[in-house]
Amino acid sequence: MSGTFIGMPAFPKAAHDSVRDATLRANLRHATHTIRDKRAVAVSELADWAELREAGKQIKDRTLSRLDHYLVRLEEAVTAAGGTVHWAADAAEANSIVTGLVKATGEREVVKVKSMATQEIGLNEALEAEGIRAYETDLAELIVQLGEDRPSHILVPAIHRNRGEIRDVFGSKMGKWGRPAPEALTDSPAELAEAARLHLREKFLRAKVGISGANFMVAETGTLVVVESEGNGRMCLTLPETLISVVGIEKVVPTWRDLEVFLQTLPRSSTAERMNPYTSMWTGTTDADGPRTFHLVLLDNGRTDTLADEVGRQALRCIRCSACLNVCPVYERAGGHAYGSVYPGPIGAILTPQLRGIRSEVDASLPYASSLCGACYDVCPVAIDIPEVLVHLRERVADQGGPGHRLEKAAVRAAGWVLDHPGALAAGERLASKTRALHPKKLPGPGAGQWTESRDLPEMPVEPFRDWWKKNRS
């Protein structure tokens, strides 16, 4: 997986700063509460939602248990349908493959469908380094790109922006990327959408190369599936002469019957719709319809390592609905940028450290970016037990050591010795009671100090309980 967002500190520091941004918190609160309330209504319409959820979980687990088999089957089907399959072990290899394919066409511009995988590997930056300009066509991704910003949500990348901020971004930046925004543009949603539509239309009509991800890949036929709500994906997938799709290897499902389950659960969990307005499917190439050339880049980039972890592998079930973000009290207050990854929120807190490892300060901090309330597990349409994986990853972070964890282990050993020696414990209790007036209200040090930043230490009693018991037990 590519590196953290440029300049991002570890989660505690990033969250400490973001929770003080009143505008950000208001934007997040309004958006997440609106989405999750609508989702609850959409899900309640299905009497068999629990059964669909369990079916999705079992399909994903069965596929992951034989992932090598289904990927080979997918490759054979895509190749038979006229496509070309490439295998990328990491971000660098994937970027090299894609940039090479684009350069081979002679084009210097590409249009893109919203794709977490291409963000994960930093594809736009890799293309730019080779003199190729990538245009995001999803409305929210366009806002992020024009604003020289970073996505902060899986489904709604510009969730941290309000309408006034979007109007200002369009007015000041749109002209540098193509057709400028209309003069006297207001923050009306209809006007903002129309400005984006006019800006993007010339890109759709001119582009010869399209780049996408995929929500699902059907192994039995080699079919790729993209679901979206705006129609920009349909334009990118059908108008260009060359289509390149970069997809994580975990997105494969064995059969069309398996796909049926996810086409019911994904729309309701993500956009609170009964079905997506646009569901695009393509299988290889067809002479008279769609792109003449199709390339599929299958991306590993840490997924095989994640698959090897019996507890952590359930993160690979994720279908990127973002329901867990919208119910998470930590995400709602800290925002997506605090996670230092294109995968924010609860799913990012368990997926990113597995794809990138836990050696960096940022990645080691992510498993702690949770209250373990369990709301994320309750809404997950494939039943990922995110709290279980968070605790599992915390154990791994603690096992690898570090200044804070070494101090914690030393304190536990010291406490164990004291508790094994009643005389020493009694002497310590009496000393603590006699010096109670000198005790600080907060603990020193970065770790303990954070715990007492918003709470006082309990006051020490006048005498230890064992002394009181001796005087009063008769």
Side-chain angles (χ1 to χ4, degrees), residues 326-392:
N326 300 324
V327 298
C328 177
V330 176
Y331 174 85
E332 180 186 326
R333 289 157 179 79
H337 291 157
Y339 293 81
S341 167
V342 297
Y343 300 114
I347 188 61
I350 65 171
L351 185 60
T352 300
Q354 294 192 88
L355 296 182
R356 292 197 308 216
I358 53 175
R359 292 296 177 187
S360 75
E361 185 181 6
V362 173
D363 297 321
S365 71
L366 290 178
Y368 298 89
S370 171
S371 65
L372 300 180
C373 68
C376 50
Y377 171 64
D378 291 340
V379 299
C380 178
V382 286
I384 302 172
D385 193 340
I386 293 178
E388 179 188 31
V389 183
L390 286 168
V391 173
H392 172 66

Side-chain angles (χ1 to χ4, degrees), residues 35-44 49 268-269 272 323 379-380:
I35 297 171
R36 77 191 195 192
D37 290 346
K38 290 182 177 179
R39 176 199 173 276
V41 173
V43 167
S44 68
W49 178 260
R268 291 175 187 268
S269 273
V379 299
C380 178

Side-chain angles (χ1 to χ4, degrees), residues 40-95:
V41 173
V43 167
S44 68
E45 294 177 349
L46 294 182
D48 62 343
W49 178 260
E51 288 78 7
L52 285 169
R53 184 179 190 238
E54 180 62 24
K57 172 187 174 182
Q58 293 188 17
I59 291 168
K60 280 290 189 177
D61 284 348
R62 185 177 72 249
T63 307
L64 291 172
S65 69
R66 300 188 64 201
L67 187 59
D68 54 345
H69 166 77
Y70 291 115
L71 288 174
V72 170
R73 188 175 178 186
L74 173 72
E75 180 184 31
E76 292 171 348
V78 170
T79 303
T84 303
V85 176
H86 310 262
W87 297 80
D90 54 27
E93 187 172 9
N95 287 332

